[in-house]
Amino acid sequence: MRAQLGESPIWDAGRGRVHWLDIPGRILHGFDPVTRQATHHALAARVTAIALCADGGLIGCGDAGVVRVDPDSGRLAPLAPLALPPGMRCNDGAVAPDGSFWFGTMAENGSGRPGQLLRYDPGGGITCIAPDILVPNGPAFLPDGRVVIADTAARVLWALDADGDQAWDDRQCFARFDPEDGKPDGMAIDREGNLWIALWDGACLRRFAADGTARETLALPVRRPTRPAFGGADHDKLFVTSAAIGAAPGDTLAGVLLEAHPIKPDCPRA
């Protein structure tokens, strides 16, 4: 099934399944790489990102705020409301090692209005980490305690201390991209601590060492990949979501979930 805007793939080891979203289609997809069986659950509200919790459930964000998402039915349960200004929506998100859920907001129509990077702490509400990021994507948490955030519109990756009170003010540039590279979108960390990032309009994934050094580029058969995820029973598969929005007529795989092997036999972090 082709997604209009496939996003937020995550590996669920307990179910042996990768979950991902079609954001405008309001569908939670699932795929078992062993049985090759797929599941599709309609969502009651638009959800823009999901992440796996320690208890095996899913947490997400979207038009209903921060929610729990039942991976077996798509049922949503509210956790924290989120009042956004008109024309703004939630975007990408991920669970941090401490169990908090980091997610971003952005303008619906690409108007250039800045979004925010937010953090939901179970039992503690929502905190603003960065008030002025155009299109936040990620985040991805490095083994050294830093978190990497993409500002897709600015073509830059920022690294900051995931625990610091003034982390955004002390952020450092992790990587920058030229227009011909495409725009940095979703990302994942492998077991060696390397960061893999999808390049929207770049038709590839790029792999960076933890110090920001570019290592390899993995070409993909779609122009608009959105986010990678590592998974599989042997931790040897790389899943990549993609977008059909704006695809060229010959881009027949646009919007599908891609399955590949990484350049090297790296494994996802536990």
Side-chain angles (χ1 to χ4, degrees):
M1 179 178 289
R2 286 174 54 143
Q4 298 176 61
L5 179 56
E7 264 290 4
S8 205
I10 55 167
W11 176 250
D12 183 340
R15 293 175 175 83
R17 192 162 70 203
V18 58
H19 307 286
W20 78 101
L21 297 166
D22 181 355
I23 294 177
R26 299 186 180 185
I27 300 172
L28 173 67
H29 295 289
F31 176 68
D32 184 324
V34 176
T35 66
R36 315 306 289 179
Q37 292 184 339
T39 58
H40 315 283
H41 300 297
L43 300 170
R46 182 174 58 171
V47 177
T48 64
I50 50 174
L52 192 67
C53 299
D55 63 5
L58 301 179
I59 190 171
C61 59
D63 294 348
V66 180
V67 294
R68 291 282 295 202
V69 183
D70 185 334
D72 298 314
S73 69
R75 187 178 65 86
L76 306 181
L79 290 174
L82 182 65
L84 293 177
M88 303 296 288
R89 71 164 176 88
C90 292
N91 199 36
D92 207 357
V95 167
D98 66 1
S100 60
F101 178 60
W102 295 49
F103 64 101
T105 66
M106 60 173 283
E108 286 269 14
N109 58 4
S111 65
R113 294 170 61 190
Q116 296 180 320
L117 176 64
L118 305 173
R119 183 184 66 217
Y120 167 74
D121 295 290
I126 297 174
T127 303
C128 180
I129 303 298
D132 56 356
I133 185 167
L134 285 173
V135 181
N137 267 297
F141 297 88
L142 295 169
D144 62 9
R146 292 178 299 156
V147 56
V148 178
I149 306 293
D151 188 335
T152 299
R155 291 190 169 90
V156 62
L157 300 182
W158 298 109
L160 53 143
D161 184 352
D163 297 323
D165 293 335
Q166 303 296 323
W168 186 245
D169 293 337
D170 298 331
R171 68 190 183 277
Q172 296 182 332
C173 179
F174 186 86
R176 290 188 182 273
F177 300 87
D178 295 324
E180 58 268 26
D181 294 326
K183 295 180 179 180
D185 202 335
M187 60 191 88
I189 307 294
D190 66 31
R191 183 172 290 174
E192 293 183 352
N194 300 302
L195 182 144
W196 295 67
I197 187 159
L199 290 175
W200 174 275
D201 282 335
C204 69
L205 300 179
R206 191 161 295 169
R207 180 186 183 194
F208 290 87
D211 63 0
T213 301
R215 290 192 168 177
E216 291 94 5
T217 298
L218 176 62
L220 298 172
V222 293
R223 184 166 63 93
R224 289 183 161 177
T226 56
R227 182 169 159 179
F230 290 91
D234 296 323
H235 307 302
D236 62 346
K237 296 185 184 299
L238 181 59
F239 301 99
V240 185
T241 46
S242 63
I245 294 173
D251 196 352
T252 58
L253 294 178
V256 306
L257 177 74
L258 302 173
E259 180 184 342
H261 289 270
I263 297 172
K264 295 181 179 180
D266 291 330
C267 301
R269 293 172 55 211

Coordinates of all heavy atoms in Angstrom, one line a residue, residues 110-175:
G110 N 3.9 25.3 5.1 CA 5.2 25.7 4.7 C 5.4 27.2 4.7 O 6.1 27.8 3.9
S111 N 4.6 27.9 5.5 CA 4.6 29.4 5.5 C 5.8 30.0 6.1 O 6.0 31.2 5.9 CB 3.4 29.9 6.3 OG 3.5 29.6 7.7
G112 N 6.7 29.3 6.7 CA 7.9 29.8 7.3 C 7.7 30.2 8.7 O 8.7 30.7 9.4
R113 N 6.5 30.0 9.3 CA 6.3 30.3 10.7 C 7.1 29.2 11.5 O 7.1 28.0 11.2 CB 4.8 30.2 11.1 CG 4.0 31.2 10.4 CD 2.5 30.9 10.6 NE 2.1 30.8 12.1 CZ 1.0 30.4 12.5 NH1 0.1 29.9 11.6 NH2 0.7 30.3 13.8
P114 N 7.9 29.7 12.5 CA 8.7 28.7 13.2 C 7.8 27.8 14.1 O 6.8 28.2 14.6 CB 9.5 29.6 14.1 CG 8.8 30.9 14.3 CD 8.1 31.0 13.0
G115 N 8.3 26.5 14.2 CA 7.7 25.6 15.1 C 8.4 25.5 16.4 O 9.3 26.3 16.7
Q116 N 8.2 24.4 17.2 CA 8.8 24.2 18.4 C 9.3 22.8 18.6 O 8.7 21.9 17.9 CB 7.8 24.6 19.6 CG 7.4 26.0 19.7 CD 6.4 26.2 20.8 OE1 5.6 25.4 21.1 NE2 6.6 27.4 21.5
L117 N 10.2 22.6 19.4 CA 10.6 21.3 19.9 C 10.1 21.1 21.3 O 10.4 21.9 22.2 CB 12.1 21.1 19.8 CG 12.7 19.8 20.4 CD1 12.2 18.6 19.5 CD2 14.2 19.8 20.4
L118 N 9.3 20.1 21.6 CA 8.6 19.9 22.8 C 9.0 18.6 23.5 O 9.5 17.7 22.8 CB 7.1 20.0 22.7 CG 6.6 21.2 22.0 CD1 5.1 21.1 21.7 CD2 6.8 22.5 22.8
R119 N 8.9 18.5 24.8 CA 9.1 17.2 25.5 C 8.0 16.9 26.4 O 7.6 17.8 27.2 CB 10.4 17.3 26.3 CG 10.8 16.0 27.0 CD 12.0 16.2 27.9 NE 11.8 17.1 29.0 CZ 12.6 18.0 29.5 NH1 13.8 18.1 28.9 NH2 12.3 18.8 30.5
Y120 N 7.4 15.7 26.3 CA 6.4 15.3 27.2 C 7.0 14.3 28.2 O 7.6 13.3 27.8 CB 5.3 14.5 26.4 CG 4.3 13.8 27.3 CD1 3.4 14.4 28.0 CD2 4.4 12.4 27.4 CE1 2.5 13.7 28.9 CE2 3.5 11.7 28.2 CZ 2.6 12.4 29.0 OH 1.7 11.7 29.8
D121 N 6.8 14.7 29.5 CA 7.3 13.8 30.6 C 6.1 13.2 31.2 O 5.2 13.9 31.7 CB 8.1 14.7 31.6 CG 9.3 15.2 31.1 OD1 10.3 14.5 30.8 OD2 9.4 16.5 30.9
P122 N 6.0 11.8 31.2 CA 4.8 11.2 31.8 C 4.6 11.7 33.3 O 5.5 11.6 34.1 CB 5.2 9.7 31.8 CG 6.1 9.6 30.6 CD 6.9 10.9 30.6
G123 N 3.4 12.2 33.5 CA 3.1 12.8 34.8 C 3.6 14.2 35.1 O 3.3 14.8 36.1
G124 N 4.4 14.7 34.1 CA 4.9 16.1 34.3 C 4.6 17.1 33.3 O 5.0 18.2 33.3
G125 N 3.7 16.7 32.3 CA 3.3 17.7 31.3 C 4.3 17.9 30.2 O 5.2 17.1 30.0
I126 N 4.0 19.0 29.4 CA 4.8 19.3 28.2 C 5.7 20.5 28.4 O 5.2 21.5 28.9 CB 3.9 19.5 27.0 CG1 3.1 18.2 26.7 CG2 4.6 20.0 25.8 CD1 2.0 18.4 25.7
T127 N 7.0 20.4 28.1 CA 7.9 21.4 28.2 C 8.5 21.8 26.8 O 8.7 21.0 26.0 CB 9.1 21.0 29.1 OG1 8.6 20.5 30.4 CG2 10.1 22.1 29.3
C128 N 8.7 23.1 26.6 CA 9.2 23.6 25.4 C 10.8 23.6 25.5 O 11.3 24.2 26.4 CB 8.8 25.0 25.1 SG 9.5 25.7 23.5
I129 N 11.4 22.8 24.6 CA 12.9 22.8 24.5 C 13.5 23.8 23.6 O 14.5 24.5 23.9 CB 13.4 21.4 24.0 CG1 12.8 20.3 25.0 CG2 14.9 21.3 24.0 CD1 13.3 20.4 26.4
A130 N 12.8 24.1 22.4 CA 13.3 25.0 21.5 C 12.1 25.8 20.9 O 11.2 25.1 20.4 CB 14.1 24.4 20.4
P131 N 12.0 27.1 21.0 CA 10.8 27.8 20.6 C 10.8 28.3 19.2 O 9.9 28.9 18.7 CB 10.8 29.0 21.6 CG 12.3 29.3 21.8 CD 13.0 28.0 21.8
D132 N 11.9 28.1 18.5 CA 12.1 28.8 17.2 C 12.8 28.0 16.1 O 13.7 28.4 15.5 CB 12.9 30.1 17.4 CG 14.3 29.8 18.1 OD1 14.5 28.6 18.4 OD2 15.0 30.8 18.2
I133 N 12.3 26.7 16.0 CA 12.9 25.9 15.0 C 11.9 25.7 13.8 O 10.7 25.5 14.1 CB 13.3 24.5 15.6 CG1 14.0 23.6 14.6 CG2 12.1 23.8 16.2 CD1 14.7 22.4 15.2
L134 N 12.3 25.9 12.6 CA 11.3 26.0 11.5 C 10.5 24.7 11.3 O 9.3 24.6 11.4 CB 12.0 26.4 10.2 CG 12.4 27.9 10.1 CD1 13.3 28.1 8.9 CD2 11.2 28.8 10.1
V135 N 11.3 23.6 10.9 CA 10.6 22.3 10.7 C 11.4 21.2 11.4 O 12.4 20.7 10.9 CB 10.5 22.0 9.2 CG1 9.8 20.6 9.0 CG2 9.8 23.1 8.4
P136 N 11.1 21.0 12.7 CA 11.9 20.0 13.5 C 11.6 18.6 13.0 O 10.4 18.2 12.8 CB 11.4 20.2 14.9 CG 10.1 20.8 14.8 CD 10.0 21.6 13.5
N137 N 12.6 17.8 12.8 CA 12.5 16.4 12.5 C 13.5 15.6 13.4 O 14.5 16.2 13.9 CB 12.7 16.1 11.1 CG 11.5 16.0 10.3 OD1 10.6 15.2 10.5 ND2 11.3 17.0 9.3
G138 N 13.3 14.3 13.6 CA 14.0 13.5 14.6 C 13.1 13.5 15.8 O 11.8 13.4 15.6
P139 N 13.6 13.5 16.9 CA 15.1 13.5 17.3 C 15.6 12.1 17.3 O 14.9 11.1 17.2 CB 15.1 14.2 18.7 CG 13.8 13.7 19.3 CD 12.8 13.6 18.1
A140 N 17.0 12.1 17.4 CA 17.7 10.8 17.6 C 18.7 11.0 18.7 O 19.3 12.0 18.8 CB 18.4 10.4 16.3
F141 N 18.7 10.0 19.6 CA 19.5 10.1 20.9 C 20.8 9.3 20.7 O 20.8 8.1 20.6 CB 18.7 9.6 22.0 CG 17.4 10.5 22.2 CD1 16.3 10.2 21.6 CD2 17.5 11.6 23.1 CE1 15.1 11.0 21.8 CE2 16.4 12.4 23.3 CZ 15.2 12.1 22.6
L142 N 21.9 10.0 20.8 CA 23.2 9.4 20.7 C 23.6 8.7 22.0 O 23.2 9.1 23.1 CB 24.3 10.5 20.3 CG 24.1 11.1 18.9 CD1 25.0 12.3 18.8 CD2 24.4 10.1 17.8
P143 N 24.5 7.8 21.9 CA 25.0 7.1 23.2 C 25.7 8.0 24.2 O 25.7 7.6 25.4 CB 25.9 6.0 22.7 CG 25.5 5.8 21.2 CD 25.1 7.1 20.7
D144 N 26.2 9.1 23.7 CA 27.0 10.0 24.6 C 26.1 10.9 25.4 O 26.6 11.8 26.1 CB 28.1 10.7 23.9 CG 27.5 11.7 22.8 OD1 26.3 11.8 22.7 OD2 28.3 12.2 22.0
G145 N 24.7 10.8 25.3 CA 23.8 11.7 26.0 C 23.3 12.9 25.2 O 22.5 13.7 25.7
R146 N 23.8 13.1 24.0 CA 23.3 14.2 23.2 C 22.1 13.7 22.4 O 21.9 12.5 22.1 CB 24.4 14.7 22.2 CG 25.6 15.4 22.9 CD 26.6 15.8 21.9 NE 27.2 14.6 21.2 CZ 27.7 14.6 20.0 NH1 27.8 15.8 19.3 NH2 28.2 13.5 19.4
V147 N 21.3 14.7 21.9 CA 20.2 14.4 21.1 C 20.4 15.3 19.8 O 20.9 16.4 19.8 CB 18.9 14.8 21.7 CG1 18.8 16.2 22.2 CG2 17.7 14.5 20.8
V148 N 20.2 14.7 18.6 CA 20.3 15.4 17.4 C 18.9 15.7 16.8 O 18.0 14.8 16.8 CB 21.1 14.5 16.3 CG1 21.2 15.2 15.0 CG2 22.5 14.2 16.9
I149 N 18.8 16.9 16.4 CA 17.5 17.4 15.9 C 17.8 18.0 14.5 O 18.8 18.7 14.3 CB 16.9 18.6 16.8 CG1 16.8 18.2 18.2 CG2 15.6 19.1 16.2 CD1 15.8 17.1 18.4
A150 N 16.9 17.7 13.5 CA 17.0 18.3 12.2 C 16.1 19.5 12.1 O 14.9 19.4 12.6 CB 16.6 17.2 11.1
D151 N 16.6 20.6 11.6 CA 15.7 21.6 11.1 C 15.7 21.5 9.6 O 16.6 21.9 8.9 CB 16.2 23.0 11.5 CG 15.2 24.1 11.2 OD1 14.4 23.9 10.3 OD2 15.3 25.2 11.8
T152 N 14.7 20.8 9.1 CA 14.6 20.4 7.7 C 14.7 21.6 6.8 O 15.4 21.6 5.8 CB 13.4 19.6 7.5 OG1 13.4 18.4 8.3 CG2 13.2 19.2 6.0
A153 N 13.9 22.7 7.1 CA 13.9 23.8 6.2 C 15.2 24.6 6.2 O 15.6 25.1 5.1 CB 12.8 24.8 6.7
A154 N 16.0 24.5 7.3 CA 17.3 25.2 7.3 C 18.4 24.3 6.8 O 19.6 24.8 6.8 CB 17.6 25.7 8.7
R155 N 18.1 23.0 6.6 CA 19.1 22.0 6.1 C 20.3 21.9 7.1 O 21.4 21.9 6.7 CB 19.7 22.4 4.7 CG 18.6 22.2 3.6 CD 19.3 22.4 2.2 NE 18.4 22.0 1.1 CZ 17.6 22.8 0.5 NH1 17.6 24.1 0.9 NH2 16.8 22.4 -0.5
V156 N 19.9 21.8 8.4 CA 21.0 21.7 9.4 C 20.5 20.7 10.4 O 19.4 20.5 10.7 CB 21.2 23.1 10.0 CG1 20.0 23.6 10.7 CG2 22.4 23.0 11.0
L157 N 21.5 20.0 11.0 CA 21.3 19.1 12.2 C 22.0 19.8 13.4 O 23.2 20.2 13.3 CB 22.0 17.7 12.0 CG 21.5 16.9 10.8 CD1 22.2 15.5 10.8 CD2 20.0 16.7 10.8
W158 N 21.2 19.9 14.5 CA 21.7 20.4 15.7 C 21.9 19.3 16.7 O 21.1 18.4 16.8 CB 20.8 21.4 16.3 CG 20.6 22.7 15.4 CD1 19.4 23.0 14.8 CD2 21.5 23.7 15.2 NE1 19.6 24.2 14.1 CE2 20.8 24.6 14.3 CE3 22.8 24.0 15.6 CZ2 21.5 25.8 13.9 CZ3 23.4 25.1 15.1 CH2 22.8 26.0 14.3
A159 N 23.0 19.4 17.5 CA 23.3 18.4 18.6 C 23.2 19.2 19.9 O 23.8 20.3 20.0 CB 24.6 17.7 18.4
L160 N 22.6 18.7 20.9 CA 22.5 19.3 22.2 C 22.4 18.3 23.3 O 22.1 17.1 23.1 CB 21.3 20.2 22.3 CG 19.9 19.7 21.9 CD1 18.8 20.3 22.8 CD2 19.5 20.0 20.5
D161 N 22.7 18.7 24.5 CA 22.7 17.9 25.7 C 21.2 17.5 26.0 O 20.4 18.4 26.2 CB 23.3 18.6 26.9 CG 23.4 17.7 28.1 OD1 22.8 16.6 28.1 OD2 24.1 18.2 29.1
A162 N 20.9 16.3 26.0 CA 19.5 15.9 26.2 C 19.0 16.2 27.7 O 17.8 16.2 27.9 CB 19.3 14.4 26.0
D163 N 20.0 16.4 28.6 CA 19.6 16.7 30.0 C 19.8 18.1 30.5 O 19.5 18.4 31.6 CB 20.4 15.7 30.9 CG 20.1 14.3 30.6 OD1 19.0 14.0 30.4 OD2 21.1 13.5 30.7
G164 N 20.4 18.9 29.6 CA 20.7 20.3 30.1 C 19.6 21.2 30.1 O 18.7 21.2 29.2
D165 N 19.5 22.1 31.1 CA 18.4 23.1 31.3 C 18.5 24.1 30.1 O 17.5 24.7 29.7 CB 18.5 23.8 32.6 CG 18.2 22.8 33.8 OD1 17.5 21.8 33.5 OD2 18.7 23.1 34.9
Q166 N 19.7 24.5 29.7 CA 19.9 25.5 28.7 C 20.4 24.8 27.4 O 21.2 25.4 26.6 CB 20.8 26.6 29.1 CG 20.4 27.3 30.4 CD 19.1 28.0 30.2 OE1 18.8 28.6 29.2 NE2 18.3 28.0 31.2
A167 N 19.9 23.6 27.1 CA 20.5 22.8 26.0 C 20.4 23.5 24.7 O 21.3 23.5 23.9 CB 19.9 21.4 26.0
W168 N 19.2 24.1 24.4 CA 19.1 24.7 23.1 C 20.0 25.9 22.9 O 20.5 26.1 21.8 CB 17.6 25.1 22.9 CG 17.3 25.6 21.5 CD1 17.0 26.8 21.1 CD2 17.4 24.8 20.3 NE1 16.8 26.9 19.7 CE2 17.0 25.7 19.2 CE3 17.7 23.5 20.0 CZ2 17.0 25.2 17.9 CZ3 17.6 23.0 18.7 CH2 17.3 23.9 17.6
D169 N 20.2 26.7 23.9 CA 21.1 27.8 23.8 C 22.5 27.4 23.6 O 23.3 28.1 23.0 CB 21.0 28.7 25.0 CG 19.7 29.4 25.2 OD1 19.0 29.5 24.2 OD2 19.3 29.7 26.4
D170 N 22.9 26.2 24.0 CA 24.2 25.7 23.9 C 24.4 24.7 22.8 O 25.4 23.9 22.7 CB 24.6 25.0 25.2 CG 24.7 26.0 26.4 OD1 24.9 27.1 26.2 OD2 24.4 25.5 27.5
R171 N 23.4 24.6 21.9 CA 23.5 23.6 20.8 C 24.7 23.9 19.9 O 25.2 25.0 19.7 CB 22.2 23.7 20.0 CG 22.0 25.0 19.2 CD 20.6 25.0 18.6 NE 20.4 26.2 17.8 CZ 20.1 27.4 18.2 NH1 20.0 27.6 19.5 NH2 19.8 28.4 17.4
Q172 N 25.1 22.8 19.2 CA 26.2 22.8 18.3 C 25.8 22.2 16.9 O 24.9 21.3 16.9 CB 27.4 22.1 18.8 CG 28.0 22.7 20.1 CD 29.2 21.9 20.5 OE1 29.4 20.7 20.3 NE2 30.1 22.6 21.2
C173 N 26.3 22.7 15.9 CA 26.0 22.2 14.5 C 26.6 20.8 14.4 O 27.8 20.7 14.6 CB 26.5 23.2 13.5 SG 26.2 22.6 11.8
F174 N 25.8 19.9 14.1 CA 26.3 18.5 13.8 C 26.6 18.3 12.4 O 27.6 17.6 12.0 CB 25.2 17.5 14.3 CG 25.5 16.1 14.2 CD1 26.2 15.5 15.3 CD2 25.2 15.3 13.1 CE1 26.6 14.1 15.3 CE2 25.6 14.0 13.1 CZ 26.2 13.4 14.2
A175 N 25.8 18.8 11.5 CA 26.0 18.7 10.0 C 25.1 19.7 9.3 O 24.1 20.1 9.8 CB 25.7 17.3 9.5

